[in-house]
Amino acid sequence: MSYSGPKIVVTPPGPKAAKLIEQDEKILSGSLTRSSPLVGEKALGMYIEDPDGNVFMDFGSGIAVTALGHRHPAVVKAIKNQLDKIIFVNSLDYYSAPQVEYAEKICALTPGDFEKRIFYTNSGSESVEAAIKMAKAHNRRPYGIGFINSFHGRTMGAISFTTTNVVGRRGFAPMYPIGQFVPYPYCYRCMFNRKYPSCGMECMNYLTDIMFKKILPPDEVSFIILEPIQGSGGYIVPPKEFFTRLRKICDEHGILLIADEVQTGFGRTGKMFACEHFGLEPDIITLSKAFAHGLPAGAAIAKAEVMDWDPGAHEGTLNGGPVIMEAAKAVLRVIDEEKLVENAAKMGTYLKTKLGVLQQKYPVIGDIRGLGLMVGIEFINDDKKTAAAELRDKLIQAAFQKGLLLLGAGVSSIRLAPPLIVKEREIDIALNIIEDCLKELV
Ligand SMILES: Cc1ncc(COP(=O)(O)O)c(C=O)c1O
């Protein structure tokens, strides 16, 4: 089985895919939103094949999960080896070596040259949930602060700090009642209508001058949680000054800084962790997505003195199972051996340069931004300002029909997040398809 490019043999969804989708829609939860009618049956590297024989090139990596591409042979081998040894060790009551081996590796790789501890989870939301709980267990303060337009997940703690849109929040109030929100530096659409750097970071001033003086006493704030680059919010990269000031504010008031690297982690941005771009050393870091090659896994890693909760304060039966941990160890090995962080940086530059050329031809491309292989394209209408959400949605569907998987983010952006193994040839194929779609749509 090998693929050399996208191949559409029947208009998708073909008969087999359409039948499955019909069955799915009768029995699976209606809360699931699917961006394209893709039925994944087989996959390898950059490609996913549906049951009708259509082959799609994956430029979203299932939201930054398949960083090594699908079914990397080294990870498949590690999983198979472990299946022959032991599949489950009750992580509440017993010990297993892969948990410790992985912990030693990942704690050395995450930002901050200090002693750390790790808590394993099964998803990004659970990692955020664990981070929130460990922060509160540590400093016993009531409040938490999040940023507007952030995505941290869907469990009750995580959704309480998720502000990308109201859909996930409607009907679930009261949320975790201690959350407050401040603006994120989304400079392309500044809430204060200012330009960086002459704005003096009005958004940060809101935190210090409004939030801390009129709404929340800072000494009652347990944590501030942020994505170093907003993912689902539209691949938004703040200026470095934002992080320097935030770290200083947190230190001044004894507030814990939680960096949610669920989407940005594992080389995606051209550094192992996005915080490294900004010299940020968070107190707690959350991980998932690319962690174990698509197996359900995640973690919250904290300074050792921060993760000081009591025995029994937080646990999970399936957390850090041996098969998952062996897959996770193999993921780290492959990232290192195949120099995927370097490739992400290099291919990201190539991708953005080529997109710049496309932008000259198509002014509907309002903004191109991102780091490494986490690249956002924001579409705008003819007025050169308002968000072209409909165009973005049509583009995703048109690309799908031509065998390219794209994912949306924010109001009118698409996120280009191909596997970190991507090469120039595949970027060229993807951009040609995007250009063909724009020709049809604009
Ligand atoms: C930054 C961030 N945090 C948390 C989550 C939640 O992860 P999960 O869907 O695994 O619960 C996501 C998912 O998109 C994410 O992007």
Side-chain angles (χ1 to χ4, degrees):
M1 178 177 167
S2 74
Y3 303 108
S4 57
K7 195 174 83 178
I8 297 300
V9 291
V10 49
T11 303
K16 291 184 183 155
K19 183 159 183 284
L20 190 279
I21 291 169
E22 198 188 323
Q23 288 172 279
D24 174 299
E25 286 177 351
K26 282 196 197 127
I27 194 148
L28 267 83
S29 162
S31 63
L32 302 170
T33 50
R34 272 66 175 268
S35 61
S36 303
L38 170 77
V39 175
E41 192 175 81
K42 300 179 209 165
L44 189 66
M46 300 278 307
Y47 299 95
I48 306 186
E49 187 175 336
D50 79 2
D52 299 292
N54 289 321
V55 177
F56 298 86
M57 189 161 75
D58 188 357
F59 250 61
S61 304
I63 319 190
V65 171
T66 52
L68 319 184
H70 290 269
R71 289 200 308 112
H72 192 289
V75 187
V76 172
K77 190 168 166 216
I79 293 171
K80 284 185 175 165
N81 283 346
Q82 185 57 39
L83 289 176
D84 286 336
K85 289 189 195 162
I86 185 167
I87 297 177
F88 173 66
V89 181
N90 166 1
S91 134
L92 299 175
D93 294 302
Y94 309 123
Y95 300 87
S96 70
Q99 288 198 340
V100 180
E101 288 157 8
Y102 184 76
E104 287 173 355
K105 286 191 170 46
I106 193 76
C107 288
L109 288 172
T110 48
D113 188 15
F114 36 72
E115 207 188 322
K116 295 170 196 151
R117 278 182 180 269
I118 188 165
F119 177 86
Y120 291 119
T121 72
N122 303 292
S123 71
S125 298
E126 274 190 42
S127 302
V128 169
E129 213 71 35
I132 293 172
K133 282 182 72 178
M134 77 179 64
K136 288 182 60 64
H138 175 66
N139 58 23
R140 308 274 162 171
R141 294 182 181 187
Y143 297 109
I145 293 178
F147 286 87
I148 295 168
N149 200 39
S150 295
F151 191 90
H152 295 296
R154 301 163 184 90
T155 52
M156 279 312 283
I159 193 70
S160 300
F161 290 91
T162 289
T163 51
T164 35
N165 62 57
V166 292
V167 179
R169 300 170 67 89
R170 179 173 287 124
F172 299 121
M175 299 273 146
Y176 190 48
I178 52 138
Q180 290 286 344
F181 303 98
V182 291
Y184 193 81
Y186 182 6
C187 298
Y188 185 65
R189 294 193 183 278
C190 175
M191 272 190 173
F192 302 95
N193 267 325
R194 303 283 306 274
K195 284 262 172 282
Y196 182 78
S198 59
C199 62
M201 296 220 78
E202 197 80 62
C203 45
M204 295 299 296
N205 300 341
Y206 181 88
L207 173 65
T208 49
D209 300 348
I210 309 287
M211 185 59 66
F212 284 166
K213 293 202 175 133
K214 297 184 185 291
I215 304 171
L216 289 186
D219 56 314
E220 292 185 8
V221 176
S222 170
F223 61 87
I224 296 181
I225 182 164
L226 84 160
E227 293 164 274
I229 297 173
Q230 280 189 336
S232 303
Y235 280 20
I236 298 160
V237 189
K240 188 171 179 182
E241 186 187 350
F242 168 66
F243 298 94
T244 323
R245 279 182 66 180
L246 199 59
R247 183 67 270 183
K248 198 157 163 267
I249 291 165
C250 286
D251 290 344
E252 256 167 41
H253 299 290
I255 297 170
L256 294 170
L257 189 51
I258 304 174
D260 182 349
E261 291 245 21
V262 163
Q263 193 162 158
T264 48
F266 298 100
R268 169 66 41 203
T269 65
K271 301 252 185 217
M272 193 62 181
F273 297 100
C275 286
E276 294 168 41
H277 287 283
F278 312 108
L280 177 68
E281 292 186 356
D283 301 295
I284 304 173
I285 185 164
T286 56
L287 304 174
S288 185
K289 293 209 188 280
F291 198 107
H293 209 49
L295 299 182
I301 297 175
K303 284 183 177 155
E305 80 250 25
V306 167
M307 204 185 293
D308 61 353
W309 43 14
D310 297 330
H314 199 59
E315 297 179 88
T317 312
L318 298 175
N319 300 15
V323 178
I324 280 168
M325 298 322 308
E326 285 302 329
K329 279 167 59 189
V331 166
L332 291 185
R333 267 198 314 275
V334 172
I335 290 177
D336 180 41
E337 283 166 16
E338 297 188 9
K339 301 200 178 344
L340 294 185
V341 181
E342 293 82 343
N343 193 56
K346 200 167 143 210
M347 289 302 111
T349 306
Y350 180 76
L351 175 59
K352 278 199 285 183
T353 309
K354 288 242 152 172
L355 280 172
V357 177
L358 205 59
Q359 189 179 29
Q360 298 305 312
K361 289 200 223 166
Y362 296 93
V364 287
I365 298 181
D367 195 26
I368 298 163
R369 54 184 176 242
L371 292 170
L373 287 172
M374 187 170 185
V375 176
I377 312 176
E378 181 158 340
F379 292 95
I380 49 171
N381 290 311
D382 291 343
D383 61 8
K384 304 229 171 315
K385 202 171 58 210
T386 51
E390 204 184 317
L391 171 67
R392 186 274 310 268
D393 293 346
K394 282 185 179 161
L395 177 73
I396 292 173
Q397 294 320 317
F400 175 74
Q401 292 300 327
K402 296 179 196 307
L404 177 67
L405 299 180
L406 297 175
L407 294 169
V411 176
S412 67
S413 301
I414 54 172
R415 41 181 145 190
L416 299 180
L420 310 185
I421 55 168
V422 73
K423 299 193 177 64
E424 286 183 5
R425 178 181 168 270
E426 286 130 358
I427 291 177
D428 291 344
I429 295 175
L431 291 180
N432 284 338
I433 293 180
I434 292 174
E435 178 160 16
D436 285 350
C437 296
L438 285 173
K439 265 186 214 152
E440 285 167 24
L441 294 170
V442 177

